[in-house]
């Protein structure tokens, strides 16, 4: 079956431009996550959606970052006025329910963002 | 100080060796502990999941959690070249959040 799908896989953008990154979770998965991974670093939590609950946005680094999830499925992460420090791999993940009690989190392959 | 510390390596071992990967953490509220494996230019995949303290074994992999020392380990027996990857520890303190705190990752190379 299909895994978590992310697009674009690679994006080069100019400083100051806005970018949108898309995530298609595994069908039926109610939980969706965005993480960021900078070169040689671990994953940094950005945002978590669970069903119809209010998302946990506590990891968004600034108000230039926003995310939405439409219809409980597809999610878009938007970065406005991109800066060079935004260059990273943006990883989306999904799980059948909350990420515990055996609910494995499945990651996509990431969107590699380079801001020049 | 980071909440989770992990030696980034790189760690290079010969095929067949026993590998020990470790993380330390500072938040005593952490209860859920995971190990992920990440191949180059791929997303992380879950290897092991442990709740609270104790050991868990799955094939060649064993995960250990020592909450009293705030220390977790992943052991790989009979390591194979296909085990060459980056290993990330992750943990969380609540079942009501999707926020996992990840270590920096340890890069492992198993030489034939």
């Amino acid at each position: 079956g299909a895994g978590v799908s992310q697009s674009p896989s690679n994006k080069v953008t100019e400083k100051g431009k806005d970018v949108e990154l898309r995530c298609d979770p595994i069908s039926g998965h109610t939980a969706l996550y965005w993480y960021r991974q900078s070169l040689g670093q671990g994953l940094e939590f950005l945002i978590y959606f669970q069903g119809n609950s209010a998302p946990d946005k506590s990891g968004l680094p600034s108000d230039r970052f926003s995310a939405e999830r439409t219809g409980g499925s597809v999610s878009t992460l938007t970065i406005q006025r991109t800066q060079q420090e935004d260059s990273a791999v943006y990883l989306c993940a999904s799980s059948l329910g909350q990420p515990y009690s055996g609910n494995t989190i499945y990651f996509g392959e990431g969107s590699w963002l380079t801001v020049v | 100080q980071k909440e989770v510390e992990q030696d980034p390596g790189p760690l290079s071992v010969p095929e067949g060796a026993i590998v020990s990967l470790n993380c330390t953490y500072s938040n005593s509220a952490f209860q859920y502990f995971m190990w992920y494996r990440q191949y180059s230019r791929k997303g992380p995949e879950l290897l092991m999941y442990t709740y609270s303290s104790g050991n868990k074994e799955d094939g060649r992999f064993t995960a250990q959690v020592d909450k009293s020392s705030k220390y977790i380990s992943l052991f790989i027996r009979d390591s194979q070249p296909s085990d060459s990857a980056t290993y990330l520890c992750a943990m969380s303190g609540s079942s009501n959040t999707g926020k996992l705190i990840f270590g920096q990752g340890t890069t492992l190379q198993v030489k034939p």
Side-chain angles (χ1 to χ4, degrees):
Chain A
V4 177
S5 178
Q6 294 188 243
S7 61
S9 54
N10 288 284
K11 176 73 175 180
V12 179
T13 190
E14 291 181 352
K15 178 181 174 182
K17 299 283 189 182
D18 297 352
V19 296
E20 287 189 349
L21 307 176
R22 176 187 168 102
C23 174
D24 281 277
I26 293 172
S27 179
H29 281 193
T30 59
L32 186 146
Y33 320 75
W34 284 98
Y35 281 83
R36 178 169 72 175
Q37 187 174 30
S38 301
L39 185 64
Q41 300 297 312
L43 276 68
E44 175 190 4
F45 169 80
L46 296 177
I47 189 168
Y48 165 61
F49 297 90
Q50 171 58 49
N52 295 321
S53 301
D56 177 358
K57 303 179 180 181
S58 62
L60 295 177
S62 77
D63 59 7
R64 296 187 297 105
F65 288 74
S66 63
E68 63 177 19
R69 188 178 186 190
T70 54
S73 181
V74 172
S75 177
T76 302
L77 176 69
T78 301
I79 309 172
Q80 295 179 312
R81 305 181 302 282
T82 52
Q83 303 295 313
Q84 288 186 330
E85 60 264 28
D86 299 334
S87 297
V89 182
Y90 289 83
L91 289 159
C92 178
S94 70
S95 62
L96 194 57
Q98 290 184 349
Y100 309 108
S101 302
N103 287 314
T104 301
I105 299 176
Y106 296 89
F107 282 87
E109 296 196 345
S111 290
W112 292 66
L113 175 66
T114 303
V115 181
V116 298
Chain B
Q1 182 185 3
K2 294 182 179 179
E3 280 191 283
V4 179
E5 297 280 356
Q6 184 176 7
D7 187 337
L11 181 62
S12 182
V13 301
E15 183 175 355
I18 296 174
V19 177
S20 173
L21 304 167
N22 312 292
C23 288
T24 58
Y25 63 94
S26 57
N27 190 340
S28 58
F30 287 154
Q31 299 179 70
Y32 303 89
F33 304 93
M34 286 142 276
W35 286 96
Y36 283 82
R37 178 175 62 194
Q38 185 175 27
Y39 291 113
S40 181
R41 296 195 70 89
K42 299 290 187 182
E45 57 179 334
L46 181 66
L47 270 180
M48 301 286 286
Y49 162 80
T50 308
Y51 171 70
S52 193
S53 287
N55 296 352
K56 187 172 184 178
E57 186 174 324
D58 184 3
R60 296 185 295 111
F61 298 90
T62 299
Q64 289 186 349
V65 175
D66 182 348
K67 291 188 68 180
S68 63
S69 300
K70 298 188 181 69
Y71 187 88
I72 69 171
S73 301
L74 177 71
F75 297 95
I76 307 174
R77 291 183 298 282
D78 187 25
S79 56
Q80 302 295 309
S82 58
D83 295 328
S84 298
T86 296
Y87 291 80
L88 299 144
C89 62
M91 50 196 79
S92 180
S94 169
S95 63
N96 294 320
T97 177
K99 182 176 182 179
L100 298 180
I101 308 299
F102 281 81
Q104 185 178 356
T106 299
T107 300
L108 171 68
Q109 183 180 25
V110 181
K111 295 184 175 180

